[in-house]
Amino acid sequence: MTNHSNPSVQCSVNSCAYHSGPDQTCTLQQIKVGCCQNNVCDCKETKCASFKLGTHGTSCT
């Protein structure tokens, strides 16, 4: 993990520990995308498996 924002990974989830504040990016060098269902046919059936709850708040912007 690094403390520098990664402009290649955009993020609007303020509550994530890796959220980089005002520039709406992630501080991880890479993320892992996971499935919520066995058969993925919609983006709602995926998730950021790299998410970690942080202290930035509790909302998406």
Side-chain angles (χ1 to χ4, degrees), residues 9-21:
V9 182
Q10 299 293 306
C11 178
S12 61
V13 184
N14 291 336
S15 58
C16 183
Y18 306 116
H19 182 73
S20 187

Side-chain angles (χ1 to χ4, degrees), residues 1 3 6 9 12-13 16-17 19 22 26 32-33 36 38 42 44 46 50 53-54 61:
M1 184 179 75
N3 291 327
N6 181 349
V9 182
S12 61
V13 184
C16 183
H19 182 73
C26 183
K32 180 179 180 183
V33 176
C36 299
N38 290 336
D42 189 322
K44 294 177 187 175
T46 63
S50 301
L53 186 60
T61 56

Side-chain angles (χ1 to χ4, degrees), residues 42-54:
D42 189 322
C43 65
K44 294 177 187 175
E45 297 165 348
T46 63
K47 65 178 180 177
C48 178
S50 301
F51 175 83
K52 178 180 175 185
L53 186 60

